[in-house]
Amino acid sequence: MALKKYTLPKEERISLKRHLDKLFEKGQSFISYPLRVVYLCTTEEMPARASIMVSVSKKKFKRAVKRNHIKRLVREAYRVRKYELIDPLTEKNKYMLVAFLFLDKELPSSAGIEKALSKAIRLLLEKEHLKELATETFIE
C-alpha cells in the first residue's frame, strides 16, 4: 500500500487557462452552502486526478486578508479529505476539475467550511456515479 501524502502540490491546482475555460464552459454545478461547486469529470489525461481552484468574491470581501483567509480554510479542508475523491477517480481512471466558489457574506468558521466541503465531496461522488467505489471512511 502506498503512503498517502496529505499535501496540495501545484499539480493539484488548476493553473492553465484552457482548463479553467473548459470547466466554466462545460462544467456542472451545485451548492453546498456556503460553497458553490463547479465540476467537470473527464477521461483526458491531466497532471493530477483532481485539480481544484478556490475563489472568493472581491465584491463581498474588500480586504485581501479576509479573502486569503477564506481560501486558506477551503484549501485546508480539501487537503485533509482529498483522498475521498481521488481514490474513486483512480479506480475508474477519470480526472476531475473542481472550482469552489465562496458565496456567503460573513467570515466562516473552520468547522462550517469542513462540513460544507465534506458534503460537496459526497455530492460529487454521487453525481459522477463514483459512490459505490468510495471508501467507507466518510466523515459526516
Side-chain angles (χ1 to χ4, degrees):
M1 183 175 144
L3 186 64
K4 294 181 179 181
K5 291 186 176 182
Y6 290 92
T7 60
L8 194 60
K10 183 171 177 9
E11 300 88 48
E12 292 183 10
R13 299 186 190 197
I14 301 173
S15 57
L16 294 178
K17 185 174 180 343
R18 65 185 168 97
H19 286 162
L20 270 176
D21 291 343
K22 189 190 302 185
L23 173 62
F24 286 105
E25 181 181 312
K26 297 180 181 176
Q28 299 173 327
S29 69
F30 61 89
I31 292 178
S32 173
Y33 199 77
L35 299 173
R36 177 172 176 242
V37 182
V38 181
Y39 68 97
L40 178 66
C41 199
T42 181
T43 55
E44 175 188 331
E45 185 112 1
M46 293 189 193
R49 286 286 168 191
S51 297
I52 69 159
M53 71 158 287
V54 180
S55 178
V56 180
S57 172
K58 191 173 184 177
K59 189 175 185 178
K60 293 178 184 171
F61 293 95
K62 305 286 188 216
R63 304 271 178 183
V65 173
K66 291 181 179 181
R67 290 194 306 272
N68 292 338
H69 176 71
I70 294 167
K71 289 191 276 190
R72 198 175 306 118
L73 287 174
V74 175
R75 284 194 306 260
E76 176 65 13
Y78 172 77
R79 184 189 66 81
V80 171
R81 289 177 176 70
K82 72 180 185 176
Y83 285 104
E84 294 175 11
L85 180 62
I86 291 174
D87 290 343
L89 286 171
T90 305
E91 294 204 17
K92 285 257 184 151
N93 197 23
K94 289 187 176 184
Y95 297 86
M96 188 175 280
L97 297 171
V98 184
F100 297 106
L101 310 171
F102 189 77
L103 300 175
D104 204 357
K105 293 179 182 175
E106 303 287 323
L107 275 175
S109 67
S110 181
I113 290 290
E114 288 176 10
K115 184 178 176 183
L117 202 101
S118 182
K119 179 182 172 188
I121 289 176
R122 190 177 71 246
L123 288 172
L124 276 172
L125 293 175
E126 286 174 7
K127 289 181 183 290
E128 285 303 316
H129 308 292
L130 299 168
K131 187 153 176 112
E132 65 273 3
L133 293 174
T135 59
E136 294 180 5
T137 59
F138 277 113
I139 300 171
E140 297 279 334

